[in-house]
Structures are given as C-alpha cells and as structure tokens.
Amino acid sequence: MHVKTMEGLAGAGKNMELLKTPMRVFREARREGNQAKMERAMRYAGEISDKAREYKTEAEEGMKEEAEEIREAKQAACEQALEAQRDEQKEQKEPASGQNLPDSLEISEEGKRLLRDQMEQEGAKEAVTYVRTGTGNQAQPEARVSVTV
C-alpha cells in the first residue's frame, strides 16, 4: 500500500474517532442549555472534521498515485515480455551461423535404395524436396538431411 494512502486512511480514521468527543460535549451542553459551550464544541468538531477531510483527500491522492504506479509497472512488464518474445522469435528465425546443428538425420543405404527404386517406378529423373516457401529443390538421393529441433 502506498505511504500516502496509509497516512491518509489512518489520519482520517483517527480524526473521525476524535470527532466523537466534541459531539458528546455538544449534546451535553445542549441538554444543559449552555450556548457558549455548544458553540465551542461545534468549532472543535468543525476543525476536526476539516482535518479528516484533508486526510481523506490525501488518501484519495495516494490511491490514485498507487494505481498509476501499478499501471506503469504492468505496462513495463508487458513491454519487457513483448521484447523477450520478439527476441525469442528473432532467434528462432535466424539460423545459427557457423554452428553445428544439434540434431541431424542421415538416410541409410536402404533408404537411399528405396528412394532410387521409387524414382525409377515413377519415371522421375531426380528427387524433389519442397521447402517452407513452397518451392522445390532438386535433391540428390545421397544428400545428407539435417533436422533442427
């Protein structure tokens, strides 16, 4: 909780408690019929009530500041998360240059033979491998295929 909010709430609450005393004195003076005592009690009650309003205003300002700080903190956290996500996406899109791929897949001799047999049955001269962009690459049956996970 914001310091200004705590101070405002505590001050307003304490002044509302203090307001009970002059109000009790006012009621007592009214029963007695003492006009001067009633006026003094009301003056004290008014002063205490004004202080309670000031503290209430301070508490409201503190709550507004606290809400603004929380909003800014959330916005900063969102921006950081967005930036981290962008960096992660950028890293995923950019292949690691000069680094060995962590996992690779080699086609066995039997697989190469099956590919040649299938190409002969279909009458194809060369194998075609389609990439993400939708274009085809001519692949050699003895080429090495790497898969990144």
Side-chain angles (χ1 to χ4, degrees), residues 54-119:
E54 289 173 13
Y55 278 114
K56 178 186 173 216
T57 303
E58 184 176 342
E60 289 171 350
E61 289 173 2
M63 287 188 285
K64 286 179 185 176
E65 289 175 9
E66 184 177 12
E68 181 67 21
E69 288 173 4
I70 290 171
R71 187 189 64 76
E72 289 174 359
K74 284 182 179 179
Q75 185 176 2
C78 285
E79 288 174 2
Q80 286 178 345
L82 229 119
E83 187 64 32
Q85 186 180 13
R86 285 184 192 137
D87 290 345
E88 186 177 313
Q89 287 176 351
K90 189 176 182 181
E91 287 175 7
Q92 287 177 354
K93 287 182 181 179
E94 293 177 0
S97 59
Q99 294 181 358
N100 293 334
L101 296 174
D103 298 319
S104 63
L105 173 70
E106 288 190 32
I107 299 174
S108 67
E109 291 301 319
E110 182 181 349
K112 291 175 187 176
R113 184 181 49 78
L114 288 172
L115 177 61
R116 275 190 234 106
D117 291 346
Q118 184 179 4
M119 286 174 39

Side-chain angles (χ1 to χ4, degrees), residues 14-26:
K14 192 64 173 171
N15 278 290
M16 292 307 290
E17 285 291 318
L18 291 174
L19 188 59
K20 291 179 182 179
T21 302
M23 292 305 293
R24 183 181 44 80
V25 171
F26 173 81

